[in-house]
Amino acid sequence: MKLGLVFSGGGIRGLSHIGALTCLIKYGLKPQMISGCSAGSIIAGLYAAGIAPKDMEMLALKNIAHIIDLDYKGIFKAIENLIANKNAEGTLSGFIKGDRIEKTIDDILNGKKMYEADIFLAIPAVDINRGRTVMFVSRKVPQENEKALYIDGIKISEAIRASISIPVIFCPKKFGDYSLELVDGGLKDNLPFEIIMRMGADKILCYDLGYNGQLKKGIDNIFEIASQSLSIFSYTITSLKKEKYGIDDLNSFRKRNLRHAGNKKEILILNPGIYDASILETKRAPEMVERGYEFTKKYANDILEFIYG
């Protein structure tokens, strides 16, 4: 049985995926295939490259406060041009350059490339110029149509850097060799389970940290507005995909079992309900890891029932 694991984006809340992964492994559930978008791509990429969850947590807590590199030069130049009513040069494509987080991950992975991953890995980004998905994969995937481009020859750190590029917050990731300018994969595929289905997973667990229709307060700055806008957009796309494939979330799966109807779905979406942390609230990193672990532990029996029942 091939188990697939999918991690959504979620900013700092994405660290909860470390806790979830730790708990799953404790119960003997080791994924043979993994995908992740935005913040989820970091955890997916590290795991596929052989980094254990306990080491991910240590590395996250060590580096989390030092990886945000604001583009001060670009910000000041944009303000200067705005005041001077200029728009030709010095435009601002994002507040955070993203170079520091890319280098940190690359150093951790010793420059490992996608095709060197230990298990199948998929990381989506979006080509901002063509509006298509660019899926970074660890082994070649047949090109079905022009709606998606599959690439396996770049570094894992580069794929992650592309996938975390939340519009307005991060500068897009540019790939000159491919003539690409990439932004956050959540624009089109915040929960990238279709690629895992396509590559042959028998059961797929999806951790969705995105907006789920709940009231969310405190959206009072440009970072939170950009993040929440992306989350709402991603929520709509994920809802359509759930309807298309008839996917269970945890509540509907439990109701089916209570009715003794038996669940025959191969995909289960788990929503840990972590909505109260801002995307860059780094001081709450340890809490996020713990909450991911506790959520998975709480519903471990349901997860095991889904996989083996």
Side-chain angles (χ1 to χ4, degrees), residues 276-307:
D276 58 333
S278 299
I279 60 167
L280 298 177
E281 202 171 1
T282 56
K283 64 182 179 181
R284 298 181 67 180
E287 175 194 344
M288 296 300 103
V289 176
E290 180 65 20
R291 287 172 71 172
Y293 182 90
E294 291 301 324
F295 171 84
T296 303
K297 182 180 178 181
K298 180 178 179 179
Y299 295 105
N301 288 336
D302 295 294
I303 293 170
L304 291 168
E305 173 65 23
F306 163 73
I307 293 173

Side-chain angles (χ1 to χ4, degrees), residues 5-283:
L5 189 58
V6 180
F7 289 143
S8 79
I12 196 66
R13 293 176 287 120
L15 292 178
S16 66
H17 296 320
I18 297 176
L21 189 52
T22 300
C23 191
L24 290 173
I25 292 173
K26 181 179 179 180
Y27 281 91
L29 302 175
K30 294 184 178 181
Q32 289 79 49
M33 315 177 96
I34 194 166
S35 65
C37 179
S38 200
S41 73
I42 300 175
I43 313 307
L46 292 176
Y47 182 75
I51 306 297
K54 60 180 175 55
D55 294 325
M56 288 184 208
E57 182 176 1
M58 180 270 293
L59 290 165
L61 298 182
K62 176 183 176 182
N63 293 292
I64 194 71
H66 312 291
I67 57 175
I68 303 301
D69 50 351
L70 289 173
D71 185 7
Y72 290 108
K73 182 178 179 180
I75 293 170
F76 289 133
K77 186 65 176 177
I79 293 173
E80 180 183 295
N81 284 345
L82 181 64
I83 294 172
N85 197 27
K86 296 179 181 179
N87 57 17
E89 296 180 1
T91 55
L92 185 66
S93 62
F95 286 92
I96 299 173
K97 291 186 285 186
D99 298 337
R100 196 175 296 166
I101 188 169
E102 181 178 336
K103 185 180 186 307
T104 299
I105 294 170
D106 196 46
D107 288 345
I108 291 169
L109 299 182
N110 294 315
K112 186 173 283 189
K113 294 191 174 182
M114 288 294 295
Y115 59 76
E116 297 177 296
D118 297 340
I119 62 174
F120 180 76
L121 169 65
I123 295 174
V126 173
D127 178 352
I128 195 66
N129 299 118
R130 300 174 182 84
R132 63 179 172 179
T133 295
V134 175
M135 188 70 72
F136 298 106
V137 289
S138 59
R139 67 172 183 260
K140 292 191 180 298
V141 175
Q143 192 76 41
E144 284 189 329
N145 51 55
E146 295 182 357
K147 292 182 179 180
L149 174 66
Y150 298 95
I151 298 175
D152 66 350
I154 68 164
K155 292 181 178 182
I156 295 174
S157 59
E158 292 179 303
I160 291 171
R161 167 63 183 87
S163 191
I164 66 172
S165 301
I166 301 173
V168 180
I169 298 177
F170 280 85
C171 299
K173 173 66 177 177
K174 296 181 180 180
F175 289 91
D177 292 345
Y178 295 94
S179 298
L180 294 172
E181 189 169 2
L182 302 179
V183 296
D184 196 307
L187 279 174
K188 298 194 72 174
D189 203 359
N190 191 47
L191 206 59
F193 59 78
E194 289 174 304
I195 183 66
I196 299 296
M197 290 172 57
R198 185 176 173 189
M199 298 308 289
D202 299 302
K203 296 281 186 174
I204 302 173
L205 285 175
C206 302
Y207 278 80
D208 187 0
L209 296 172
Y211 176 75
N212 199 32
Q214 75 285 350
L215 173 65
K216 185 176 179 181
K217 298 182 179 180
I219 304 173
D220 55 5
N221 61 73
I222 192 168
F223 296 111
E224 286 300 312
I225 291 170
S227 176
Q228 179 68 353
S229 298
L230 178 61
S231 293
I232 292 170
F233 191 70
S234 298
Y235 169 63
T236 303
I237 295 173
T238 300
S239 297
L240 291 172
K241 288 168 66 175
K242 285 173 65 176
E243 184 178 341
K244 174 182 177 180
Y245 292 104
I247 297 171
D248 275 339
D249 58 23
L250 187 59
N251 288 333
S252 61
F253 172 71
R254 299 184 85 192
K255 288 176 181 177
R256 286 175 185 272
N257 278 355
L258 288 172
R259 297 194 197 104
H260 306 287
N263 179 64
K264 300 184 184 302
K265 308 299 180 185
E266 64 178 10
I267 304 170
L268 180 64
I269 294 180
L270 304 165
N271 194 310
I274 304 174
Y275 309 124
D276 58 333
S278 299
I279 60 167
L280 298 177
E281 202 171 1
T282 56
K283 64 182 179 181

